[in-house]
Amino acid sequence: MCTPLFVGSSRLARYCLQARLPHYCFLASRIHSSVINSKVRRTEKIKKQSSSVLHSALVASEKNALVQGALKEMKEMEAVLCDELVKHFSLQVDLRIYEDLLVKLEKGGESKMSHLGRVSLKSPRMVMINFVDNPSAIKWAKLAIQKSHLNVTPQQEGAVLYIPVPRMTRERREQLAHDAKVKIFSDYKKALNDIYVRFDKSNQSSVKQDEMHQTRQVLLDVKHAMESRGMELIEKKRNELLTEVV
């Protein structure tokens, strides 16, 4: 006599679960949508804040040469970031990535790869750098490539470096996106900070303390606003890369 009761209880429990399942799905859907909408609203808020800060800086720069100079250099750095992102996220092999790569030399100086060797495309997925005119630089060039965010492995044959470029798989895209968010953005932030520090040092010679503190705050706000804009650019390119069909 116990069996029918057990079966009946199981059926009742199953019925209750089935009856409530659409409600749970509806709640889950609403929660998921709420999270997405929250992220969108937060992103839009950051964009508006950045635009507002930069607008205020433009107004302030009309009477402040330091803010004007810093803003000009930071915008130039933003243009460099845009160019770097185009090269970094390109689905095709862009030789400029290798040509513009900075190589630290034995004596402490730096030079672009294109000044040390001839960069060319041997095949659609093979970059070749010929150091026949500058063989002593090949060691440092190879090291620079290995330490870069390119995630490639150069192979040396005599005075030539061969660099196999991986196919653009999903994993490769995700790695590029991660590297952009970490390495490229880190370099961009450092460049902005260097500009801020340099102009803030000039600002410290200001006679009036109030003006000095006000200028410092504007410079700091501009730096943070440009950082936010940089991250927006990276996120936009990242999303394009992860959704684009090869």
Side-chain angles (χ1 to χ4, degrees):
M1 295 296 294
C2 292
T3 303
L5 180 61
F6 178 78
V7 172
S9 299
S10 298
R11 286 176 179 173
L12 179 61
R14 188 161 59 249
Y15 172 79
C16 290
L17 285 174
Q18 289 172 346
R20 294 174 66 86
L21 185 58
H23 178 64
Y24 289 140
C25 290
F26 175 70
L27 285 176
S29 176
R30 289 193 62 180
I31 292 171
H32 180 66
S33 299
S34 177
V35 171
I36 293 175
N37 291 335
S38 176
K39 288 182 178 179
V40 171
R41 286 195 297 269
R42 187 163 61 249
T43 301
E44 290 300 322
K45 183 179 179 181
I46 292 173
K47 286 182 180 179
K48 289 180 180 178
Q49 288 175 342
S50 301
S51 299
S52 177
V53 169
L54 291 176
H55 176 71
S56 299
L58 284 172
V59 174
S61 68
E62 293 177 0
K63 299 179 181 179
N64 192 318
L66 287 175
V67 175
Q68 192 174 17
L71 186 58
K72 179 177 180 293
E73 289 194 22
M74 288 184 184
K75 285 190 173 182
E76 289 173 353
M77 192 54 58
E78 184 182 63
V80 172
L81 172 66
C82 290
D83 188 52
E84 286 298 313
L85 291 176
V86 169
K87 292 185 290 185
H88 181 77
F89 285 118
S90 175
L91 295 180
Q92 305 298 324
V93 178
D94 192 332
L95 292 181
R96 292 177 301 168
I97 297 176
Y98 301 91
E99 291 172 340
D100 295 339
L101 191 64
L102 287 178
V103 179
K104 290 186 178 180
L105 302 173
E106 185 176 11
K107 295 182 179 179
E110 285 187 335
S111 182
K112 284 187 176 183
M113 186 74 73
S114 58
H115 297 164
L116 302 174
R118 295 196 298 273
V119 183
S120 60
L121 201 60
K122 184 180 181 183
S123 67
R125 308 215 68 82
M126 179 71 74
V127 175
M128 180 175 72
I129 309 178
N130 194 326
F131 294 90
V132 67
D133 297 327
N134 197 4
S136 62
I138 194 168
K139 172 184 175 181
W140 309 105
K142 184 177 181 181
L143 188 62
I145 295 170
Q146 291 170 336
K147 288 185 174 181
S148 72
H149 60 269
L150 297 173
N151 289 313
V152 293
T153 305
Q155 301 168 0
Q156 181 178 351
E157 291 185 16
V160 179
L161 285 180
Y162 294 98
I163 308 165
V165 181
R167 291 190 175 278
M168 193 59 73
T169 61
R170 177 73 185 186
E171 291 74 17
R172 173 71 173 168
R173 292 182 181 206
E174 290 174 348
Q175 185 62 51
L176 287 174
H178 175 268
D179 291 342
K181 204 167 184 178
V182 177
K183 180 68 170 65
I184 295 179
F185 184 63
S186 177
D187 290 345
Y188 175 65
K189 281 183 66 176
K190 183 180 182 303
L192 291 180
N193 192 64
D194 289 344
I195 295 171
Y196 163 76
V197 169
R198 181 156 43 83
F199 278 90
D200 186 50
K201 282 184 179 179
S202 299
N203 175 48
Q204 291 174 17
S205 62
S206 176
V207 178
K208 297 181 180 179
Q209 289 293 313
D210 290 344
E211 289 183 2
M212 184 187 76
H213 291 306
Q214 184 179 6
T215 298
R216 173 177 291 169
Q217 188 59 53
V218 173
L219 288 172
L220 192 60
D221 289 344
V222 168
K223 180 174 82 82
H224 290 156
M226 294 300 290
E227 287 174 356
S228 296
R229 280 166 58 111
M231 181 53 72
E232 289 168 18
L233 290 170
I234 290 175
E235 282 297 323
K236 181 181 178 182
K237 284 292 183 182
R238 174 183 175 276
N239 291 334
E240 289 175 359
L241 177 74
L242 294 178
T243 56
E244 191 169 350
V245 178
V246 180

